[in-house]
PDB file of all heavy atoms in Angstrom:
ATOM      1  N   SER Z  27     -13.161  25.573 -37.070  1.00 35.00           N
ATOM      2  CA  SER Z  27     -14.482  25.993 -36.541  1.00 35.00           C
ATOM      3  C   SER Z  27     -14.554  27.537 -36.619  1.00 35.00           C
ATOM      4  O   SER Z  27     -13.733  28.218 -37.096  1.00 35.00           O
ATOM      5  CB  SER Z  27     -14.584  25.691 -35.014  1.00 35.00           C
ATOM      6  OG  SER Z  27     -13.586  26.278 -34.341  1.00 35.00           O
ATOM      7  N   ASP Z  28     -15.530  27.797 -36.963  1.00 33.00           N
ATOM      8  CA  ASP Z  28     -15.689  29.165 -37.131  1.00 33.00           C
ATOM      9  C   ASP Z  28     -14.940  30.120 -36.183  1.00 33.00           C
ATOM     10  O   ASP Z  28     -14.937  29.730 -35.082  1.00 33.00           O
ATOM     11  CB  ASP Z  28     -17.201  29.557 -36.658  1.00 33.00           C
ATOM     12  CG  ASP Z  28     -18.144  29.273 -37.569  1.00 33.00           C
ATOM     13  OD1 ASP Z  28     -18.033  29.756 -38.631  1.00 33.00           O
ATOM     14  OD2 ASP Z  28     -19.056  28.579 -37.236  1.00 33.00           O
ATOM     15  N   GLU Z  29     -19.123  57.084  -6.492  1.00 43.00           N
ATOM     16  CA  GLU Z  29     -19.074  56.342  -5.209  1.00 43.00           C
ATOM     17  C   GLU Z  29     -20.461  55.809  -5.089  1.00 43.00           C
ATOM     18  O   GLU Z  29     -20.896  55.559  -6.089  1.00 43.00           O
ATOM     19  CB  GLU Z  29     -18.631  57.465  -4.293  1.00 43.00           C
ATOM     20  CG  GLU Z  29     -17.301  57.197  -3.712  1.00 43.00           C
ATOM     21  CD  GLU Z  29     -16.281  56.682  -3.168  1.00 43.00           C
ATOM     22  OE1 GLU Z  29     -16.021  55.620  -3.135  1.00 43.00           O
ATOM     23  OE2 GLU Z  29     -15.691  57.472  -2.580  1.00 43.00           O
ATOM     24  N   PRO Z  30     -21.281  55.678  -4.063  1.00 41.00           N
ATOM     25  CA  PRO Z  30     -22.456  54.911  -3.947  1.00 41.00           C
ATOM     26  C   PRO Z  30     -23.567  55.237  -4.881  1.00 41.00           C
ATOM     27  O   PRO Z  30     -23.643  56.422  -5.219  1.00 41.00           O
ATOM     28  CB  PRO Z  30     -22.980  55.086  -2.421  1.00 41.00           C
ATOM     29  CG  PRO Z  30     -21.918  55.819  -1.787  1.00 41.00           C
ATOM     30  CD  PRO Z  30     -21.082  56.541  -2.792  1.00 41.00           C
ATOM     31  N   PRO Z  31     -24.317  54.277  -5.329  1.00 42.00           N
ATOM     32  CA  PRO Z  31     -25.454  54.628  -6.252  1.00 42.00           C
ATOM     33  C   PRO Z  31     -26.512  55.418  -5.424  1.00 42.00           C
ATOM     34  O   PRO Z  31     -26.662  55.186  -4.276  1.00 42.00           O
ATOM     35  CB  PRO Z  31     -26.010  53.235  -6.662  1.00 42.00           C
ATOM     36  CG  PRO Z  31     -25.599  52.361  -5.570  1.00 42.00           C
ATOM     37  CD  PRO Z  31     -24.354  52.833  -5.053  1.00 42.00           C
ATOM     38  N   PRO Z  32     -27.301  56.234  -6.145  1.00 42.00           N
ATOM     39  CA  PRO Z  32     -28.375  56.942  -5.504  1.00 42.00           C
ATOM     40  C   PRO Z  32     -29.491  56.063  -5.115  1.00 42.00           C
ATOM     41  O   PRO Z  32     -29.556  54.917  -5.636  1.00 42.00           O
ATOM     42  CB  PRO Z  32     -28.837  57.974  -6.510  1.00 42.00           C
ATOM     43  CG  PRO Z  32     -28.518  57.283  -7.848  1.00 42.00           C
ATOM     44  CD  PRO Z  32     -27.159  56.542  -7.582  1.00 42.00           C
ATOM     45  N   SER Z  33     -30.317  56.546  -4.160  1.00 42.00           N
ATOM     46  CA  SER Z  33     -31.509  55.727  -3.811  1.00 42.00           C
ATOM     47  C   SER Z  33     -32.458  55.591  -5.075  1.00 42.00           C
ATOM     48  O   SER Z  33     -32.502  56.572  -5.821  1.00 42.00           O
ATOM     49  CB  SER Z  33     -32.362  56.426  -2.737  1.00 42.00           C
ATOM     50  OG  SER Z  33     -31.484  56.477  -1.499  1.00 42.00           O
ATOM     51  N   PRO Z  34     -33.008  54.419  -5.277  1.00 40.00           N
ATOM     52  CA  PRO Z  34     -33.762  54.257  -6.517  1.00 40.00           C
ATOM     53  C   PRO Z  34     -34.886  55.386  -6.595  1.00 40.00           C
ATOM     54  O   PRO Z  34     -35.658  55.560  -5.639  1.00 40.00           O
ATOM     55  CB  PRO Z  34     -34.367  52.883  -6.256  1.00 40.00           C
ATOM     56  CG  PRO Z  34     -33.458  52.163  -5.354  1.00 40.00           C
ATOM     57  CD  PRO Z  34     -32.957  53.201  -4.431  1.00 40.00           C
ATOM     58  N   GLN Z  35     -34.998  55.955  -7.776  1.00 41.00           N
ATOM     59  CA  GLN Z  35     -35.970  56.925  -7.916  1.00 41.00           C
ATOM     60  C   GLN Z  35     -36.713  56.736  -9.238  1.00 41.00           C
ATOM     61  O   GLN Z  35     -37.875  56.418  -9.296  1.00 41.00           O
ATOM     62  CB  GLN Z  35     -35.351  58.304  -7.970  1.00 41.00           C
ATOM     63  CG  GLN Z  35     -34.704  58.779  -6.619  1.00 41.00           C
ATOM     64  CD  GLN Z  35     -33.921  60.050  -6.728  1.00 41.00           C
ATOM     65  OE1 GLN Z  35     -33.576  60.474  -7.780  1.00 41.00           O
ATOM     66  NE2 GLN Z  35     -33.709  60.682  -5.568  1.00 41.00           N
ATOM     67  N   SER Z  36     -36.016  56.837 -10.410  1.00 41.00           N
ATOM     68  CA  SER Z  36     -36.658  56.656 -11.638  1.00 41.00           C
ATOM     69  C   SER Z  36     -36.740  55.136 -11.928  1.00 41.00           C
ATOM     70  O   SER Z  36     -35.962  54.392 -11.557  1.00 41.00           O
ATOM     71  CB  SER Z  36     -35.908  57.267 -12.793  1.00 41.00           C
ATOM     72  OG  SER Z  36     -34.604  56.817 -12.782  1.00 41.00           O
ATOM     73  N   ALA Z  37     -37.819  54.724 -12.693  1.00 43.00           N
ATOM     74  CA  ALA Z  37     -37.985  53.382 -12.994  1.00 43.00           C
ATOM     75  C   ALA Z  37     -36.901  52.880 -14.017  1.00 43.00           C
ATOM     76  O   ALA Z  37     -36.712  53.552 -14.969  1.00 43.00           O
ATOM     77  CB  ALA Z  37     -39.452  53.164 -13.627  1.00 43.00           C
ATOM     78  N   PRO Z  38     -36.427  51.705 -13.756  1.00 45.00           N
ATOM     79  CA  PRO Z  38     -35.500  51.178 -14.713  1.00 45.00           C
ATOM     80  C   PRO Z  38     -36.204  50.780 -16.002  1.00 45.00           C
ATOM     81  O   PRO Z  38     -37.401  50.346 -15.903  1.00 45.00           O
ATOM     82  CB  PRO Z  38     -34.855  49.906 -14.017  1.00 45.00           C
ATOM     83  CG  PRO Z  38     -35.852  49.535 -13.020  1.00 45.00           C
ATOM     84  CD  PRO Z  38     -36.583  50.810 -12.649  1.00 45.00           C
ATOM     85  N   GLN Z  39     -35.526  50.747 -17.173  1.00 50.00           N
ATOM     86  CA  GLN Z  39     -36.263  50.254 -18.351  1.00 50.00           C
ATOM     87  C   GLN Z  39     -36.065  48.740 -18.315  1.00 50.00           C
ATOM     88  O   GLN Z  39     -35.065  48.129 -18.279  1.00 50.00           O
ATOM     89  CB  GLN Z  39     -35.478  50.810 -19.581  1.00 50.00           C
ATOM     90  CG  GLN Z  39     -35.467  52.302 -19.684  1.00 50.00           C
ATOM     91  CD  GLN Z  39     -34.735  52.856 -20.840  1.00 50.00           C
ATOM     92  OE1 GLN Z  39     -34.517  52.077 -21.813  1.00 50.00           O
ATOM     93  NE2 GLN Z  39     -34.409  54.078 -20.818  1.00 50.00           N
ATOM     94  N   ILE Z  40     -37.298  48.070 -18.286  1.00 49.00           N
ATOM     95  CA  ILE Z  40     -37.318  46.647 -18.110  1.00 49.00           C
ATOM     96  C   ILE Z  40     -38.041  45.967 -19.276  1.00 49.00           C
ATOM     97  O   ILE Z  40     -39.106  46.420 -19.671  1.00 49.00           O
ATOM     98  CB  ILE Z  40     -38.076  46.268 -16.753  1.00 49.00           C
ATOM     99  CG1 ILE Z  40     -37.213  46.719 -15.547  1.00 49.00           C
ATOM    100  CG2 ILE Z  40     -38.278  44.787 -16.646  1.00 49.00           C
ATOM    101  CD1 ILE Z  40     -37.855  46.454 -14.247  1.00 49.00           C
ATOM    102  N   THR Z  41     -37.401  44.933 -19.755  1.00 50.00           N
ATOM    103  CA  THR Z  41     -38.059  44.120 -20.783  1.00 50.00           C
ATOM    104  C   THR Z  41     -37.963  42.701 -20.297  1.00 50.00           C
ATOM    105  O   THR Z  41     -37.087  42.293 -19.522  1.00 50.00           O
ATOM    106  CB  THR Z  41     -37.353  44.240 -22.194  1.00 50.00           C
ATOM    107  OG1 THR Z  41     -35.988  43.885 -22.020  1.00 50.00           O
ATOM    108  CG2 THR Z  41     -37.452  45.680 -22.742  1.00 50.00           C
ATOM    109  N   THR Z  42     -38.961  41.933 -20.659  1.00 51.00           N
ATOM    110  CA  THR Z  42     -39.008  40.558 -20.212  1.00 51.00           C
ATOM    111  C   THR Z  42     -39.159  39.596 -21.391  1.00 51.00           C
ATOM    112  O   THR Z  42     -39.784  39.933 -22.433  1.00 51.00           O
ATOM    113  CB  THR Z  42     -40.095  40.278 -19.168  1.00 51.00           C
ATOM    114  OG1 THR Z  42     -41.354  40.512 -19.876  1.00 51.00           O
ATOM    115  CG2 THR Z  42     -39.950  41.200 -18.036  1.00 51.00           C
ATOM    116  N   GLN Z  43     -38.595  38.448 -21.184  1.00 54.00           N
ATOM    117  CA  GLN Z  43     -38.692  37.380 -22.210  1.00 54.00           C
ATOM    118  C   GLN Z  43     -39.012  36.092 -21.480  1.00 54.00           C
ATOM    119  O   GLN Z  43     -38.228  35.663 -20.632  1.00 54.00           O
ATOM    120  CB  GLN Z  43     -37.527  37.184 -23.144  1.00 54.00           C
ATOM    121  CG  GLN Z  43     -37.714  36.096 -24.217  1.00 54.00           C
ATOM    122  CD  GLN Z  43     -36.453  36.071 -25.001  1.00 54.00           C
ATOM    123  OE1 GLN Z  43     -35.512  36.816 -24.889  1.00 54.00           O
ATOM    124  NE2 GLN Z  43     -36.478  35.183 -25.952  1.00 54.00           N
ATOM    125  N   THR Z  44     -40.155  35.458 -21.742  1.00 52.00           N
ATOM    126  CA  THR Z  44     -40.526  34.261 -20.899  1.00 52.00           C
ATOM    127  C   THR Z  44     -40.281  32.962 -21.703  1.00 52.00           C
ATOM    128  O   THR Z  44     -40.528  32.896 -22.897  1.00 52.00           O
ATOM    129  CB  THR Z  44     -42.057  34.306 -20.620  1.00 52.00           C
ATOM    130  OG1 THR Z  44     -42.339  35.559 -19.938  1.00 52.00           O
ATOM    131  CG2 THR Z  44     -42.542  33.268 -19.717  1.00 52.00           C
ATOM    132  N   THR Z  45     -39.758  32.032 -20.893  1.00 51.00           N
ATOM    133  CA  THR Z  45     -39.476  30.706 -21.482  1.00 51.00           C
ATOM    134  C   THR Z  45     -39.827  29.726 -20.413  1.00 51.00           C
ATOM    135  O   THR Z  45     -40.286  30.055 -19.258  1.00 51.00           O
ATOM    136  CB  THR Z  45     -37.959  30.442 -21.884  1.00 51.00           C
ATOM    137  OG1 THR Z  45     -37.204  30.782 -20.658  1.00 51.00           O
ATOM    138  CG2 THR Z  45     -37.635  31.507 -22.991  1.00 51.00           C
ATOM    139  N   ALA Z  46     -39.577  28.421 -20.622  1.00 56.00           N
ATOM    140  CA  ALA Z  46     -39.738  27.471 -19.629  1.00 56.00           C
ATOM    141  C   ALA Z  46     -38.469  26.657 -19.515  1.00 56.00           C
ATOM    142  O   ALA Z  46     -37.838  26.326 -20.547  1.00 56.00           O
ATOM    143  CB  ALA Z  46     -40.941  26.487 -19.950  1.00 56.00           C
ATOM    144  N   GLN Z  47     -38.018  26.335 -18.287  1.00 55.00           N
ATOM    145  CA  GLN Z  47     -36.775  25.697 -18.127  1.00 55.00           C
ATOM    146  C   GLN Z  47     -36.872  24.248 -17.690  1.00 55.00           C
ATOM    147  O   GLN Z  47     -37.647  24.104 -16.840  1.00 55.00           O
ATOM    148  CB  GLN Z  47     -35.867  26.545 -17.298  1.00 55.00           C
ATOM    149  CG  GLN Z  47     -34.434  25.949 -17.088  1.00 55.00           C
ATOM    150  CD  GLN Z  47     -33.592  26.812 -16.308  1.00 55.00           C
ATOM    151  OE1 GLN Z  47     -33.761  26.863 -15.056  1.00 55.00           O
ATOM    152  NE2 GLN Z  47     -32.608  27.490 -16.886  1.00 55.00           N
ATOM    153  N   THR Z  48     -36.146  23.431 -18.306  1.00 48.00           N
ATOM    154  CA  THR Z  48     -36.178  22.031 -17.846  1.00 48.00           C
ATOM    155  C   THR Z  48     -35.145  21.812 -16.721  1.00 48.00           C
ATOM    156  O   THR Z  48     -34.000  22.316 -16.785  1.00 48.00           O
ATOM    157  CB  THR Z  48     -35.796  21.056 -18.988  1.00 48.00           C
ATOM    158  OG1 THR Z  48     -36.873  21.288 -20.040  1.00 48.00           O
ATOM    159  CG2 THR Z  48     -35.904  19.590 -18.570  1.00 48.00           C
ATOM    160  N   ALA Z  49     -35.521  21.140 -15.715  1.00 45.00           N
ATOM    161  CA  ALA Z  49     -34.613  20.953 -14.592  1.00 45.00           C
ATOM    162  C   ALA Z  49     -33.342  20.232 -15.074  1.00 45.00           C
ATOM    163  O   ALA Z  49     -33.480  19.334 -15.899  1.00 45.00           O
ATOM    164  CB  ALA Z  49     -35.332  20.131 -13.469  1.00 45.00           C
ATOM    165  N   PRO Z  50     -32.172  20.601 -14.565  1.00 45.00           N
ATOM    166  CA  PRO Z  50     -30.913  20.019 -15.058  1.00 45.00           C
ATOM    167  C   PRO Z  50     -30.680  18.596 -14.572  1.00 45.00           C
ATOM    168  O   PRO Z  50     -31.293  18.178 -13.548  1.00 45.00           O
ATOM    169  CB  PRO Z  50     -29.801  21.029 -14.473  1.00 45.00           C
ATOM    170  CG  PRO Z  50     -30.547  21.470 -13.238  1.00 45.00           C
ATOM    171  CD  PRO Z  50     -31.906  21.623 -13.503  1.00 45.00           C
ATOM    172  N   GLN Z  51     -29.954  17.937 -15.314  1.00 43.00           N
ATOM    173  CA  GLN Z  51     -29.583  16.533 -14.945  1.00 43.00           C
ATOM    174  C   GLN Z  51     -28.090  16.439 -14.696  1.00 43.00           C
ATOM    175  O   GLN Z  51     -27.289  16.914 -15.521  1.00 43.00           O
ATOM    176  CB  GLN Z  51     -29.951  15.487 -16.014  1.00 43.00           C
ATOM    177  CG  GLN Z  51     -31.484  15.426 -16.282  1.00 43.00           C
ATOM    178  CD  GLN Z  51     -32.245  14.992 -14.977  1.00 43.00           C
ATOM    179  OE1 GLN Z  51     -31.865  14.011 -14.356  1.00 43.00           O
ATOM    180  NE2 GLN Z  51     -33.385  15.690 -14.785  1.00 43.00           N
ATOM    181  N   THR Z  52     -27.641  16.008 -13.625  1.00 38.00           N
ATOM    182  CA  THR Z  52     -26.194  15.958 -13.262  1.00 38.00           C
ATOM    183  C   THR Z  52     -25.679  14.610 -13.698  1.00 38.00           C
ATOM    184  O   THR Z  52     -26.185  13.519 -13.424  1.00 38.00           O
ATOM    185  CB  THR Z  52     -25.953  16.084 -11.771  1.00 38.00           C
ATOM    186  OG1 THR Z  52     -26.639  17.331 -11.368  1.00 38.00           O
ATOM    187  CG2 THR Z  52     -24.555  16.195 -11.454  1.00 38.00           C
ATOM    188  N   PRO Z  53     -24.481  14.531 -14.457  1.00 38.00           N
ATOM    189  CA  PRO Z  53     -23.932  13.326 -14.874  1.00 38.00           C
ATOM    190  C   PRO Z  53     -23.340  12.450 -13.779  1.00 38.00           C
ATOM    191  O   PRO Z  53     -22.873  13.017 -12.685  1.00 38.00           O
ATOM    192  CB  PRO Z  53     -22.825  13.787 -15.855  1.00 38.00           C
ATOM    193  CG  PRO Z  53     -22.482  15.121 -15.465  1.00 38.00           C
ATOM    194  CD  PRO Z  53     -23.760  15.711 -14.854  1.00 38.00           C
ATOM    195  N   ALA Z  54     -23.282  11.234 -13.870  1.00 34.00           N
ATOM    196  CA  ALA Z  54     -22.687  10.356 -12.888  1.00 34.00           C
ATOM    197  C   ALA Z  54     -21.158  10.369 -13.122  1.00 34.00           C
ATOM    198  O   ALA Z  54     -20.640  10.521 -14.112  1.00 34.00           O
ATOM    199  CB  ALA Z  54     -23.126   8.907 -13.110  1.00 34.00           C
ATOM    200  N   PRO Z  55     -20.366  10.215 -12.013  1.00 35.00           N
ATOM    201  CA  PRO Z  55     -18.990  10.212 -12.127  1.00 35.00           C
ATOM    202  C   PRO Z  55     -18.338   8.925 -12.704  1.00 35.00           C
ATOM    203  O   PRO Z  55     -18.960   7.924 -12.685  1.00 35.00           O
ATOM    204  CB  PRO Z  55     -18.471  10.388 -10.610  1.00 35.00           C
ATOM    205  CG  PRO Z  55     -19.560   9.788  -9.919  1.00 35.00           C
ATOM    206  CD  PRO Z  55     -20.870  10.066 -10.574  1.00 35.00           C
ATOM    207  N   PRO Z  56     -17.642   8.826 -13.655  1.00 35.00           N
ATOM    208  CA  PRO Z  56     -17.068   7.574 -14.172  1.00 35.00           C
ATOM    209  C   PRO Z  56     -16.482   6.706 -13.068  1.00 35.00           C
ATOM    210  O   PRO Z  56     -16.553   6.914 -11.958  1.00 35.00           O
ATOM    211  CB  PRO Z  56     -16.022   7.968 -15.101  1.00 35.00           C
ATOM    212  CG  PRO Z  56     -15.616   9.318 -14.664  1.00 35.00           C
ATOM    213  CD  PRO Z  56     -16.777   9.866 -13.999  1.00 35.00           C
ATOM    214  N   GLY Z  57      -3.618  14.064  -5.718  1.00 44.00           N
ATOM    215  CA  GLY Z  57      -3.146  14.449  -4.433  1.00 44.00           C
ATOM    216  C   GLY Z  57      -3.888  15.808  -3.970  1.00 44.00           C
ATOM    217  O   GLY Z  57      -4.574  16.476  -4.510  1.00 44.00           O
ATOM    218  N   PRO Z  58      -4.273  15.878  -3.273  1.00 46.00           N
ATOM    219  CA  PRO Z  58      -4.947  16.875  -2.582  1.00 46.00           C
ATOM    220  C   PRO Z  58      -4.702  18.295  -3.192  1.00 46.00           C
ATOM    221  O   PRO Z  58      -3.744  18.607  -3.881  1.00 46.00           O
ATOM    222  CB  PRO Z  58      -4.135  16.901  -1.234  1.00 46.00           C
ATOM    223  CG  PRO Z  58      -3.508  15.587  -1.133  1.00 46.00           C
ATOM    224  CD  PRO Z  58      -3.228  15.169  -2.564  1.00 46.00           C
ATOM    225  N   ALA Z  59      -5.794  19.088  -3.083  1.00 54.00           N
ATOM    226  CA  ALA Z  59      -5.675  20.510  -3.587  1.00 54.00           C
ATOM    227  C   ALA Z  59      -5.348  21.438  -2.434  1.00 54.00           C
ATOM    228  O   ALA Z  59      -5.216  21.104  -1.297  1.00 54.00           O
ATOM    229  CB  ALA Z  59      -7.085  20.893  -4.194  1.00 54.00           C
ATOM    230  N   ILE Z  60      -5.311  22.747  -2.812  1.00 63.00           N
ATOM    231  CA  ILE Z  60      -5.121  23.831  -1.796  1.00 63.00           C
ATOM    232  C   ILE Z  60      -6.338  23.863  -0.981  1.00 63.00           C
ATOM    233  O   ILE Z  60      -7.478  23.605  -1.428  1.00 63.00           O
ATOM    234  CB  ILE Z  60      -4.880  25.131  -2.530  1.00 63.00           C
ATOM    235  CG1 ILE Z  60      -3.605  25.060  -3.415  1.00 63.00           C
ATOM    236  CG2 ILE Z  60      -4.661  26.247  -1.495  1.00 63.00           C
ATOM    237  CD1 ILE Z  60      -2.262  24.747  -2.747  1.00 63.00           C
ATOM    238  N   GLY Z  61      -6.267  24.292   0.278  1.00 76.00           N
ATOM    239  CA  GLY Z  61      -7.390  24.310   1.112  1.00 76.00           C
ATOM    240  C   GLY Z  61      -7.632  22.919   1.758  1.00 76.00           C
ATOM    241  O   GLY Z  61      -6.771  22.205   2.032  1.00 76.00           O
ATOM    242  N   LEU Z  62      -8.950  22.592   2.010  1.00 82.00           N
ATOM    243  CA  LEU Z  62      -9.270  21.396   2.680  1.00 82.00           C
ATOM    244  C   LEU Z  62      -9.553  20.210   1.678  1.00 82.00           C
ATOM    245  O   LEU Z  62      -9.763  19.058   2.205  1.00 82.00           O
ATOM    246  CB  LEU Z  62     -10.578  21.680   3.538  1.00 82.00           C
ATOM    247  CG  LEU Z  62     -10.329  22.642   4.729  1.00 82.00           C
ATOM    248  CD1 LEU Z  62     -11.727  22.885   5.459  1.00 82.00           C
ATOM    249  CD2 LEU Z  62      -9.340  22.072   5.704  1.00 82.00           C
ATOM    250  N   ALA Z  63      -9.583  20.575   0.459  1.00 82.00           N
ATOM    251  CA  ALA Z  63     -10.030  19.381  -0.485  1.00 82.00           C
ATOM    252  C   ALA Z  63      -9.070  18.236  -0.483  1.00 82.00           C
ATOM    253  O   ALA Z  63      -7.880  18.359  -0.589  1.00 82.00           O
ATOM    254  CB  ALA Z  63     -10.165  19.995  -1.818  1.00 82.00           C
ATOM    255  N   ASP Z  64      -9.647  17.118  -0.416  1.00 86.00           N
ATOM    256  CA  ASP Z  64      -8.939  15.846  -0.563  1.00 86.00           C
ATOM    257  C   ASP Z  64      -9.313  15.286  -1.962  1.00 86.00           C
ATOM    258  O   ASP Z  64     -10.059  15.928  -2.811  1.00 86.00           O
ATOM    259  CB  ASP Z  64      -9.234  14.841   0.484  1.00 86.00           C
ATOM    260  CG  ASP Z  64     -10.707  14.660   0.636  1.00 86.00           C
ATOM    261  OD1 ASP Z  64     -11.539  15.047  -0.248  1.00 86.00           O
ATOM    262  OD2 ASP Z  64     -11.136  14.075   1.753  1.00 86.00           O
ATOM    263  N   SER Z  65      -8.909  14.092  -2.247  1.00 88.00           N
ATOM    264  CA  SER Z  65      -9.192  13.455  -3.608  1.00 88.00           C
ATOM    265  C   SER Z  65     -10.729  13.415  -3.804  1.00 88.00           C
ATOM    266  O   SER Z  65     -11.202  13.838  -5.026  1.00 88.00           O
ATOM    267  CB  SER Z  65      -8.616  12.060  -3.672  1.00 88.00           C
ATOM    268  OG  SER Z  65      -8.821  11.535  -4.979  1.00 88.00           O
TER     269      SER Z  65
END
Side-chain angles (χ1 to χ4, degrees):
S27 62
D28 280 305
E29 245 290 52
S33 298
Q35 295 175 343
S36 57
Q39 299 177 19
I40 294 179
T41 57
T42 63
Q43 180 178 1
T44 302
T45 60
Q47 185 175 71
T48 301
Q51 299 296 318
T52 304
I60 301 298
L62 294 174
D64 51 17
S65 182

